[in-house]
Amino acid sequence: MTTHKNQVRDDYERRCFGSSRTERNSRSARVRSLRFASDEEEDDEEEDARTKTILYKFDELVKTRIMMNDEEIETEPMDVLLRKDLEGEPIENVQPSPQTSKVTSVAELIAFTLPTMAIWLCDPILSLLDTAMVGLTSTIELAAISPASVYVGHTCYILCSAFAVSATTLIASDRIIARRKNTPEAVEEDAKTVNDVLVLSSMFGVAVAVFLFMFHVPALTRYVGANSLDLIPYAATYAAIRLVGFPIQIACSVMQSAHLATEDPYTPLKATIVAGVVNGLGDFVMVFGLHAGIAGVAWATVFAQIVVFVLFIRAMIQRGKKCDERKNDLGYRLNGPPPLRTPIRLPSKASMIRISKIATPVFFVTLVKAIFVGSTIRSGTALGPAFSAANGVMFTVYFFFAVIGDGVSQAAQTFLPAQLGDETRAFQMCKRLLIAALCIGCFSAFTSRLIPVYFPFAFTTDATVASLMKEIAPVCSLALLLHTSSMASEGCLLAGRDTRFMSLAYVPNALLAWLGLGFTLSKGFGIQSAWFALAQFHFVRLLVNSLRLLSKRSPLRRSLKED
């Protein structure tokens, strides 16, 4: 019986490793005799202990693979394994081990999402401060912020999303592969990714900012419509100044995502707090001290963005210096944000292709989303200045809380990739993400309802505008509740790189929502029509994404492939 078991074991090991244990022992004995022929003073007891350790490694390796099919087995050539045995190098299992990463709990997801949410709140906080300061001094300037923010902010959001998701996904993948291989070359891949995404996004940011500046006056004129032409001088001024900080904001979003991908939300959180303080003080001085109005708040926002950019660059360069000081400590390097190496270099063609595989479909998806949201805002702007002002304030409130959904999506892209390859764990993580999203969405919906109902005069002194804000409030809360959950489902698809499905699903959803917008306008819902269409858009997105995640072709049922 024992002989039969040994024979079965030897046959299996030959398929796994190219030789049986008996053959390896014989080969190891011959190599040891050659290696130590010239050194007879070698301690025999130490060598025997070391041989036992080598055999133990093979035993453990066999145990981890006993449940695999032959075609799933990946290992290194036998001569490489023997060389590693003799030189004391670790024998790496290139297959992901389900036991190495636990499934994050709902409480841990929320704990990660809360500081992440605060980070994503940076730009909405700046816009909210701008809106509040301007609204207390001028209703027409308050109304002008809405179309200008759509023109600059939505375009920036499209590029930020594309490059931020690329940074998050690629860096998370780099870290997973680095932990498997545990070599200096693999560990350094995330630093190359940060450099390449940062340079490429900055180049696109500058080019798009120049293009938008060239056409900002005719584009805004066409957007606001014939009933709101009085807004153009103010909107054009605000847009032109905000375009100065356009590429800076995109670069900041990439560096922020680089930290979040490595489960470090606290460095970006500190930068966000500083930005909020700087922008708040700048708005107050510009509006009430210098009486600069809408131009003043725009310059204060740009200055705050520059401060955040400097803080991020400084932190990541210092991280690089610390990693260089401890270059032999791979554990230190893999626990913390990726460094930024200087001098910064241009990305290679292969790197740009790698980034574009993720950035392009995300860009398309976000473009469709931005066009749809922009059209819904326009439906309120075209009704007149008071409607534009109320719509502008409520969309500022909406985007302030909508970034909470971005935080949940970020959590999915950070924690889910490590579970892909184990279907049970992947579905368990997805379920917890959706539960966390529901809890956070309820908080967003409730809190957002309080602002227009109890504090409308924090944004305007016009009673008509305040009344319209209260009319929008309940539908806005519903849209936010659905948005947070739909973003969680979208984050799961992004973590599994199911971007093709997302691209195909967005256009029909947007067309369906536009039909809903036309229907509600025809039924006399007025300024609420845009918000019903927005809630419908998020509901359909959540439904379609959920069906995809539960389907047989779900990304949760697949392993994450190396690039």
Side-chain angles (χ1 to χ4, degrees):
M1 185 68 179
T2 303
T3 303
H4 177 70
K5 287 184 178 179
N6 291 338
Q7 184 178 357
V8 171
R9 184 197 65 188
D10 289 346
D11 290 342
Y12 181 79
E13 289 181 356
R14 284 192 187 97
R15 287 187 286 126
C16 289
F17 310 112
S19 63
S20 68
R21 180 184 303 184
T22 305
E23 293 167 346
R24 290 197 302 273
N25 289 344
S26 176
R27 189 183 292 109
S28 297
R30 291 197 301 272
V31 173
R32 284 198 301 273
S33 64
L34 292 173
R35 180 180 178 187
F36 301 117
S38 60
D39 189 5
E40 297 180 354
E41 297 180 359
E42 181 71 33
D43 187 3
D44 291 338
E45 292 184 1
E46 180 181 345
E47 178 60 22
D48 289 341
R50 191 168 169 279
T51 302
K52 292 178 181 178
T53 302
I54 293 171
L55 295 176
Y56 174 76
K57 288 181 182 179
F58 278 109
D59 284 339
E60 290 300 307
L61 196 57
V62 170
K63 289 177 184 178
T64 59
R65 299 176 186 232
I66 196 68
M67 299 304 295
M68 297 181 183
N69 297 325
D70 290 348
E71 61 270 16
E72 295 176 332
I73 296 172
E74 296 181 27
T75 187
E76 295 172 297
M78 193 62 198
D79 57 337
V80 177
L81 290 174
L82 284 174
R83 179 185 60 77
K84 287 189 173 185
D85 283 350
L86 296 175
E87 296 178 3
E89 295 181 23
I91 299 173
E92 298 296 338
N93 177 12
V94 297
Q95 289 287 343
S97 174
Q99 289 76 25
T100 58
S101 53
K102 67 182 182 69
V103 179
T104 310
S105 67
V106 175
E108 289 171 327
L109 289 171
I110 294 177
F112 175 84
T113 303
L114 290 178
T116 303
M117 173 190 71
I119 296 162
W120 283 105
L121 284 173
C122 180
D123 187 62
I125 285 173
L126 303 186
S127 297
L128 197 63
L129 288 170
D130 290 353
T131 303
M133 293 293 181
V134 171
L136 294 174
T137 57
S138 171
T139 300
I140 192 169
E141 288 187 350
L142 174 63
I145 283 183
S146 177
S149 296
V150 170
Y151 185 71
V152 178
H154 283 208
T155 310
C156 189
Y157 175 72
I158 294 170
L159 290 178
C160 283
S161 296
F163 287 108
V165 170
S166 299
T168 300
T169 305
L170 294 176
I171 291 171
S173 176
D174 290 339
R175 282 293 173 91
I176 293 172
I177 295 169
R179 286 190 172 95
R180 292 177 191 168
K181 295 184 177 179
N182 199 29
T183 62
E185 294 78 13
V187 167
E188 196 60 25
E189 283 299 316
D190 60 357
K192 296 178 183 178
T193 299
V194 168
N195 177 93
D196 295 342
V197 179
L198 184 60
V199 172
L200 194 61
S201 63
S202 299
M203 292 167 57
F204 267 89
V206 171
V208 173
V210 171
F211 177 82
L212 292 176
F213 181 79
M214 292 172 60
F215 300 100
H216 73 291
V217 174
L220 288 169
T221 302
R222 186 176 182 85
Y223 180 80
V224 300
N227 294 332
S228 304
L229 292 178
D230 293 340
L231 306 179
I232 294 303
Y234 306 100
T237 299
Y238 184 81
I241 297 172
R242 286 294 302 270
L243 285 171
V244 174
F246 190 91
I248 296 174
Q249 185 175 348
I250 296 173
C252 287
S253 71
V254 170
M255 291 185 284
Q256 167 183 302
S257 295
H259 284 77
L260 296 177
T262 55
E263 302 178 31
D264 173 29
Y266 297 104
T267 300
L269 179 60
K270 295 173 186 176
T272 300
I273 293 172
V274 171
V277 172
V278 170
N279 189 72
L281 292 174
D283 282 346
F284 184 83
V285 171
M286 287 290 188
V287 174
F288 299 106
L290 301 178
H291 303 287
I294 195 170
V297 298
W299 280 118
T301 301
V302 171
F303 181 70
Q305 290 171 339
I306 294 173
V307 170
V308 173
F309 177 79
V310 172
L311 291 175
F312 268 128
I313 289 289
R314 180 174 176 271
M316 296 187 75
I317 291 177
Q318 287 183 342
R319 168 71 177 170
K321 293 178 180 178
K322 291 179 180 179
C323 290
D324 291 338
E325 292 172 359
R326 303 174 62 173
K327 59 183 178 181
N328 294 325
D329 188 352
L330 299 185
Y332 173 79
R333 176 65 176 78
L334 288 173
N335 288 281
L340 182 63
R341 307 292 188 187
T342 54
I344 295 174
R345 56 179 178 78
L346 292 174
S348 64
K349 181 180 178 181
S351 179
M352 289 191 287
I353 293 174
R354 181 180 183 234
I355 295 169
S356 67
K357 287 181 180 178
I358 299 175
T360 302
V362 174
F363 174 86
F364 175 76
V365 165
T366 314
L367 176 64
V368 174
K369 189 193 307 182
I371 291 174
F372 168 71
V373 174
S375 66
T376 58
I377 295 175
R378 186 181 185 279
S379 67
T381 302
L383 297 175
F387 290 91
S388 177
N391 224 29
V393 172
M394 290 306 297
F395 264 104
T396 302
V397 173
Y398 169 82
F399 285 120
F400 180 86
F401 287 97
V403 296
I404 296 176
D406 292 327
V408 177
S409 177
Q410 181 76 59
Q413 296 170 58
T414 300
F415 292 104
L416 185 56
Q419 312 301 334
L420 296 177
D422 186 315
E423 186 175 323
T424 302
R425 286 171 172 255
F427 274 96
Q428 188 178 4
M429 173 63 78
C430 181
K431 178 182 176 182
R432 293 180 179 180
L433 284 163
L434 291 173
I435 292 173
L438 179 61
C439 296
I440 296 172
C442 291
F443 167 79
S444 301
F446 176 77
T447 310
S448 65
R449 179 75 181 274
L450 299 178
I451 295 175
V453 173
Y454 295 102
F455 308 104
F457 294 105
F459 299 91
T460 181
T461 56
D462 191 308
T464 303
V465 174
S467 176
L468 290 171
M469 288 170 58
K470 293 179 182 179
E471 185 178 339
I472 295 171
V475 193
C476 176
S477 297
L478 175 62
L480 279 170
L481 175 62
L482 294 170
H483 172 266
T484 307
S485 297
S486 65
M487 284 299 293
S489 64
E490 189 170 289
C492 293
L493 293 177
L494 287 171
R497 301 194 185 182
D498 198 5
T499 51
R500 183 174 180 272
F501 171 80
M502 291 174 56
S503 302
L504 294 175
Y506 253 79
V507 173
N509 187 13
L511 292 174
L512 188 63
W514 272 316
L515 292 175
L517 176 61
F519 176 78
T520 51
L521 283 172
S522 66
K523 295 298 181 179
F525 283 89
I527 199 170
Q528 286 186 331
S529 299
W531 295 91
F532 278 118
L534 189 60
Q536 175 194 326
F537 178 81
H538 294 319
F539 174 76
V540 173
R541 181 169 59 151
L542 173 61
L543 179 62
V544 171
N545 290 348
S546 299
L547 291 175
R548 177 65 171 183
L549 291 170
L550 294 172
S551 69
K552 292 182 179 179
R553 303 186 66 180
S554 169
L556 302 178
R557 304 183 192 276
R558 302 194 298 263
S559 298
L560 189 63
K561 297 180 180 178
E562 294 187 24
D563 299 291

mmCIF file of all heavy atoms in Angstrom, residues 178 183-193 323-324 333 339 341:
data_model
loop_
_atom_site.group_PDB
_atom_site.id
_atom_site.type_symbol
_atom_site.label_atom_id
_atom_site.label_comp_id
_atom_site.label_asym_id
_atom_site.label_seq_id
_atom_site.Cartn_x
_atom_site.Cartn_y
_atom_site.Cartn_z
ATOM 1 N N ALA A 178 3.476 42.037 -7.882
ATOM 2 C CA ALA A 178 4.729 42.219 -7.139
ATOM 3 C C ALA A 178 4.772 41.332 -5.902
ATOM 4 O O ALA A 178 5.818 40.767 -5.552
ATOM 5 C CB ALA A 178 4.888 43.687 -6.745
ATOM 6 N N THR A 183 10.133 40.275 -6.354
ATOM 7 C CA THR A 183 11.444 40.641 -6.886
ATOM 8 C C THR A 183 11.537 42.159 -6.995
ATOM 9 O O THR A 183 10.518 42.834 -7.155
ATOM 10 C CB THR A 183 11.673 40.028 -8.278
ATOM 11 O OG1 THR A 183 10.678 40.553 -9.192
ATOM 12 C CG2 THR A 183 11.561 38.511 -8.225
ATOM 13 N N PRO A 184 12.742 42.742 -6.921
ATOM 14 C CA PRO A 184 12.886 44.203 -7.022
ATOM 15 C C PRO A 184 12.312 44.775 -8.314
ATOM 16 O O PRO A 184 11.753 45.868 -8.319
ATOM 17 C CB PRO A 184 14.404 44.409 -6.939
ATOM 18 C CG PRO A 184 14.908 43.202 -6.209
ATOM 19 C CD PRO A 184 14.027 42.082 -6.621
ATOM 20 N N GLU A 185 12.451 44.029 -9.420
ATOM 21 C CA GLU A 185 11.936 44.525 -10.700
ATOM 22 C C GLU A 185 10.420 44.620 -10.688
ATOM 23 O O GLU A 185 9.827 45.606 -11.152
ATOM 24 C CB GLU A 185 12.386 43.599 -11.839
ATOM 25 C CG GLU A 185 13.889 43.576 -12.085
ATOM 26 C CD GLU A 185 14.635 42.734 -11.075
ATOM 27 O OE1 GLU A 185 13.971 41.966 -10.325
ATOM 28 O OE2 GLU A 185 15.879 42.847 -11.010
ATOM 29 N N ALA A 186 9.757 43.584 -10.157
ATOM 30 C CA ALA A 186 8.291 43.591 -10.099
ATOM 31 C C ALA A 186 7.781 44.653 -9.140
ATOM 32 O O ALA A 186 6.760 45.304 -9.390
ATOM 33 C CB ALA A 186 7.777 42.208 -9.679
ATOM 34 N N VAL A 187 8.487 44.847 -8.038
ATOM 35 C CA VAL A 187 8.074 45.820 -7.034
ATOM 36 C C VAL A 187 8.125 47.240 -7.594
ATOM 37 O O VAL A 187 7.328 48.103 -7.209
ATOM 38 C CB VAL A 187 8.975 45.692 -5.777
ATOM 39 C CG1 VAL A 187 8.798 46.878 -4.853
ATOM 40 C CG2 VAL A 187 8.660 44.402 -5.038
ATOM 41 N N GLU A 188 9.022 47.494 -8.533
ATOM 42 C CA GLU A 188 9.222 48.849 -9.062
ATOM 43 C C GLU A 188 8.229 49.203 -10.164
ATOM 44 O O GLU A 188 8.173 50.360 -10.608
ATOM 45 C CB GLU A 188 10.656 48.974 -9.600
ATOM 46 C CG GLU A 188 11.142 50.394 -9.824
ATOM 47 C CD GLU A 188 11.158 51.240 -8.572
ATOM 48 O OE1 GLU A 188 11.264 50.677 -7.462
ATOM 49 O OE2 GLU A 188 11.043 52.476 -8.693
ATOM 50 N N GLU A 189 7.398 48.258 -10.592
ATOM 51 C CA GLU A 189 6.473 48.513 -11.699
ATOM 52 C C GLU A 189 5.457 49.607 -11.368
ATOM 53 O O GLU A 189 5.071 50.379 -12.239
ATOM 54 C CB GLU A 189 5.740 47.225 -12.078
ATOM 55 C CG GLU A 189 6.568 46.257 -12.900
ATOM 56 C CD GLU A 189 7.014 46.862 -14.222
ATOM 57 O OE1 GLU A 189 6.196 47.511 -14.900
ATOM 58 O OE2 GLU A 189 8.189 46.698 -14.574
ATOM 59 N N ASP A 190 4.988 49.676 -10.112
ATOM 60 C CA ASP A 190 3.978 50.687 -9.790
ATOM 61 C C ASP A 190 4.529 52.100 -9.900
ATOM 62 O O ASP A 190 3.805 53.031 -10.249
ATOM 63 C CB ASP A 190 3.377 50.427 -8.408
ATOM 64 C CG ASP A 190 4.417 50.453 -7.303
ATOM 65 O OD1 ASP A 190 5.611 50.613 -7.604
ATOM 66 O OD2 ASP A 190 4.034 50.298 -6.123
ATOM 67 N N ALA A 191 5.831 52.289 -9.623
ATOM 68 C CA ALA A 191 6.441 53.609 -9.779
ATOM 69 C C ALA A 191 6.468 54.027 -11.248
ATOM 70 O O ALA A 191 6.219 55.196 -11.584
ATOM 71 C CB ALA A 191 7.851 53.610 -9.205
ATOM 72 N N LYS A 192 6.740 53.066 -12.130
ATOM 73 C CA LYS A 192 6.712 53.364 -13.566
ATOM 74 C C LYS A 192 5.298 53.719 -14.010
ATOM 75 O O LYS A 192 5.098 54.629 -14.823
ATOM 76 C CB LYS A 192 7.222 52.162 -14.349
ATOM 77 C CG LYS A 192 8.673 51.814 -14.072
ATOM 78 C CD LYS A 192 9.092 50.569 -14.845
ATOM 79 C CE LYS A 192 10.529 50.171 -14.526
ATOM 80 N NZ LYS A 192 10.920 48.926 -15.233
ATOM 81 N N THR A 193 4.314 52.995 -13.470
ATOM 82 C CA THR A 193 2.921 53.271 -13.836
ATOM 83 C C THR A 193 2.515 54.679 -13.404
ATOM 84 O O THR A 193 1.863 55.408 -14.162
ATOM 85 C CB THR A 193 1.998 52.232 -13.190
ATOM 86 O OG1 THR A 193 2.344 50.929 -13.667
ATOM 87 C CG2 THR A 193 0.545 52.517 -13.519
ATOM 88 N N CYS A 323 12.205 55.048 -0.025
ATOM 89 C CA CYS A 323 12.294 53.702 -0.605
ATOM 90 C C CYS A 323 13.722 53.398 -1.066
ATOM 91 O O CYS A 323 14.192 52.259 -0.945
ATOM 92 C CB CYS A 323 11.322 53.567 -1.777
ATOM 93 S SG CYS A 323 9.584 53.533 -1.283
ATOM 94 N N ASP A 324 14.412 54.416 -1.578
ATOM 95 C CA ASP A 324 15.802 54.217 -2.002
ATOM 96 C C ASP A 324 16.711 53.935 -0.809
ATOM 97 O O ASP A 324 17.658 53.146 -0.906
ATOM 98 C CB ASP A 324 16.303 55.446 -2.762
ATOM 99 C CG ASP A 324 15.630 55.598 -4.115
ATOM 100 O OD1 ASP A 324 15.118 54.586 -4.628
ATOM 101 O OD2 ASP A 324 15.605 56.725 -4.643
ATOM 102 N N ARG A 333 8.555 48.622 0.866
ATOM 103 C CA ARG A 333 8.211 49.201 -0.439
ATOM 104 C C ARG A 333 6.779 48.852 -0.847
ATOM 105 O O ARG A 333 6.093 49.650 -1.486
ATOM 106 C CB ARG A 333 9.210 48.678 -1.463
ATOM 107 C CG ARG A 333 8.950 49.097 -2.898
ATOM 108 C CD ARG A 333 9.083 50.601 -3.098
ATOM 109 N NE ARG A 333 8.923 50.913 -4.483
ATOM 110 C CZ ARG A 333 7.752 50.966 -5.108
ATOM 111 N NH1 ARG A 333 6.643 50.713 -4.428
ATOM 112 N NH2 ARG A 333 7.672 51.263 -6.378
ATOM 113 N N PRO A 339 6.198 55.440 -5.138
ATOM 114 C CA PRO A 339 7.002 56.670 -5.195
ATOM 115 C C PRO A 339 6.964 57.310 -6.577
ATOM 116 O O PRO A 339 6.594 56.668 -7.569
ATOM 117 C CB PRO A 339 8.405 56.164 -4.865
ATOM 118 C CG PRO A 339 8.423 54.766 -5.425
ATOM 119 C CD PRO A 339 7.032 54.232 -5.235
ATOM 120 N N ARG A 341 9.605 58.913 -9.086
ATOM 121 C CA ARG A 341 11.043 59.047 -9.327
ATOM 122 C C ARG A 341 11.351 60.289 -10.150
ATOM 123 O O ARG A 341 10.580 60.665 -11.023
ATOM 124 C CB ARG A 341 11.573 57.814 -10.067
ATOM 125 C CG ARG A 341 11.249 56.477 -9.416
ATOM 126 C CD ARG A 341 11.979 56.311 -8.108
ATOM 127 N NE ARG A 341 11.809 54.958 -7.574
ATOM 128 C CZ ARG A 341 12.226 54.574 -6.396
ATOM 129 N NH1 ARG A 341 12.845 55.442 -5.608
ATOM 130 N NH2 ARG A 341 12.025 53.339 -5.967
#
